[in-house]
């Protein structure tokens, strides 16, 4: 059985003019592109540092997943890229407000640099249903 891929879009998701999709659905999985703390209305990084950015990142991920028929509760894996692991505790406290039980597997990496000087970028894989 072959699965086609369906491109996900939504006005609630920052639309970047680049050769990638913010989300792709195939079979019963939704893959999000890495999201930074861009507000979809302003296309600017939200002010307020790591906590504010993490909150916006997870709102963006939530909106990608929901547009694809999944949800934060159905995330099986996240990858977190951080500008500075010294900010881990602050990122983790916001992350824990969005993932409250049956936690997804997670990898956290300190990256050399992130787009637009972002403090954090997160990608997720969610199950549909």
């Amino acid at each position: 059985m072959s699965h086609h891929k369906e491109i996900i879009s939504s006005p609630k998701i920052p639309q970047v003019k680049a050769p990638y999709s913010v989300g792709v659905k195939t079979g019963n999985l939704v893959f999000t592109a890495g999201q930074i703390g861009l507000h979809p209305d302003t296309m600017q990084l939200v002010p307020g540092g790591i906590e504010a950015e993490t909150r916006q990142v997870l709102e963006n991920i939530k909106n990608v997943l929901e547009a694809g028929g999944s949800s934060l509760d159905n995330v099986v894996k996240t990858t977190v890229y951080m500008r500075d692991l010294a900010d881990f505790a602050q990122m983790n406290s916001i992350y824990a407000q969005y993932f409250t039980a049956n936690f997804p597997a997670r990898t956290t990496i300190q990256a050399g640099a992130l787009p637009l000087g972002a403090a954090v970028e997160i990608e997720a894989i969610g199950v549909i249903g």
Side-chain angles (χ1 to χ4, degrees):
M1 178 167 117
S2 69
H3 295 293
H4 69 288
K5 72 179 188 184
E6 182 180 329
I7 304 306
I8 298 167
S9 66
S10 161
K12 297 179 181 177
I13 305 163
Q15 303 297 317
V16 177
K17 300 256 187 290
Y20 70 89
S21 300
V22 294
V24 176
K25 178 163 62 169
T26 185
N28 69 335
L29 296 175
V30 174
F31 296 81
T32 78
Q35 293 292 311
I36 59 174
L38 285 181
H39 194 283
D41 295 337
T42 65
M43 289 304 291
Q44 302 289 318
L45 277 178
V46 294
I50 184 68
E51 285 105 337
E53 286 187 41
T54 302
R55 188 171 285 110
Q56 186 63 53
V57 164
L58 291 167
E59 288 294 329
N60 292 345
I61 285 175
K62 173 178 178 282
N63 289 331
V64 175
L65 291 166
E66 290 178 356
S70 188
S71 67
L72 289 173
D73 288 341
N74 287 329
V75 169
V76 294
K77 174 75 167 81
T78 63
T79 306
V80 180
Y81 304 90
M82 299 190 68
R83 183 174 62 209
D84 187 349
L85 281 175
D87 292 335
F88 181 85
Q90 298 96 303
M91 178 282 295
N92 200 47
S93 69
I94 302 300
Y95 184 98
Q97 295 171 21
Y98 286 81
F99 297 103
T100 57
N102 301 315
F103 304 113
R106 177 174 75 181
T107 301
T108 304
I109 300 162
Q110 180 168 306
L114 295 171
L116 303 181
V120 60
E121 179 173 2
I122 302 174
E123 62 186 23
I125 302 168
V127 177
I128 298 168

